[in-house]
Amino acid sequence: DAGITQSPRYKITETGRQVTLMCHQTWSHSYMFWYRQDLGHGLRLIYYSAAADITDKGEVPDGYVVSRSKTENFPLTLESATRSQTSVYFCASSESPYRQPNQPQHFGDGTRLSIL
Amino acid sequence: GQNIDQPTEMTATEGAIVQINCTYQTSGFNGLFWYQQHAGEAPTFLSYNVLDGLEEKGRFSSFLSRSKGYSYLLLKELQMKDSASYLCAVRLISAGNKLTFGGGTRVLVKP
C-alpha cells in the first residue's frame, strides 16, 4: 500500500532555476492537488486536477505550472524559482466527491523547498 | 472567498479535554473536514461532517451546526502525542472538490 509519494523530500536551489516536484499516487484517485504551507498562511491551494489532462488554478497559481498526462502522476514545476516560493509543498489526492463525498484528501509527506 | 477562523494556539493538561472551534461562511457549504498535523509531517484525516450533529471516533469527536457556520473538534483524555496542529477545512458546492483550510490551531499538551 504505497499510497501517495512525493520526491524529493528536500531541495535547495537558486533563484531563476527551474525545479520540478514530483507526486505519485497508487490509489487511482481522480483528483490530485498541490498545496503550499507557510507560517501564518496555513495550507493554500496552488493547482488541482480532476482527471488526466484536466487541471485548474487554485488560490496561488502564479509562478507554477502543472501537468497530468497520467492519472497517477501530478508534477509541479517552478519555471523560474523566486525566494518567495520557499515553502513546504504538499501533494494530495482524493476520490471524486460526486462518487464518495465523505472521502478525504490524502496527503503526501511533503517537499521542503528552499530557494537561495 | 471563504473565511475560516480557528484559534491560533491552545494549551491543555494531559488527561483533560480540549475543544477547538472553527467558524466559516455558510453560503454553499458542502462538508467540513478536520485534520491533524504533527510538526514536520503531513496532515492526516480525522473527521468529516456534512450534517448537523456530533460524530464520535474514539477520543475524538466533531460537531457541526450548518445554520451557525460552526464546528468544533473535541479531544478527550488528552495524551502527550496529541500535541499537534489541528486544521479545519471547508468544501463548497461551487468549488467542486477543493478545500479551503483555516490557519490551524496548535495544541500543546502539558504533563
Side-chain angles (χ1 to χ4, degrees), chain A residues 9 31 33 35 37 42-43 45 48 57 90 94-95 97-98 101-105 107-109 112, chain B residues 30 33 35 37 40-45 48 87 91 93 95-104:
Chain A
R9 290 295 312 280
Y31 278 78
F33 308 84
Y35 294 90
Q37 188 172 39
L43 279 164
L45 183 66
Y48 70 103
K57 296 178 181 178
F90 287 102
S94 77
E95 189 48 85
Y98 307 107
N102 63 339
Q103 291 301 299
Q105 292 182 16
F107 286 80
D109 288 335
R112 191 173 294 271
Chain B
N30 193 29
F33 295 81
Y35 284 83
Q37 186 178 25
E41 297 183 8
T44 55
F45 169 69
Y48 169 72
L87 315 178
R91 183 170 63 199
I93 293 171
N97 200 15
K98 290 187 291 185
L99 296 180
T100 301
F101 283 83

Side-chain angles (χ1 to χ4, degrees), chain B residues 26-80:
Chain B
T26 59
S27 177
F29 175 81
N30 193 29
L32 186 145
F33 295 81
W34 283 97
Y35 284 83
Q36 180 190 59
Q37 186 178 25
H38 285 102
E41 297 183 8
T44 55
F45 169 69
L46 287 178
S47 69
Y48 169 72
N49 296 76
V50 69
L51 300 176
D52 291 350
L54 189 68
E55 294 280 342
E56 296 189 80
K57 271 188 186 181
R59 294 188 299 115
F60 293 2
S61 305
S62 57
F63 171 83
L64 178 70
S65 169
R66 288 173 296 171
S67 62
K68 294 181 180 175
Y70 169 69
S71 174
Y72 67 72
L73 180 69
L74 196 69
L75 314 182
K76 293 178 273 191
E77 300 168 20
L78 278 171
Q79 301 176 10
M80 299 300 291

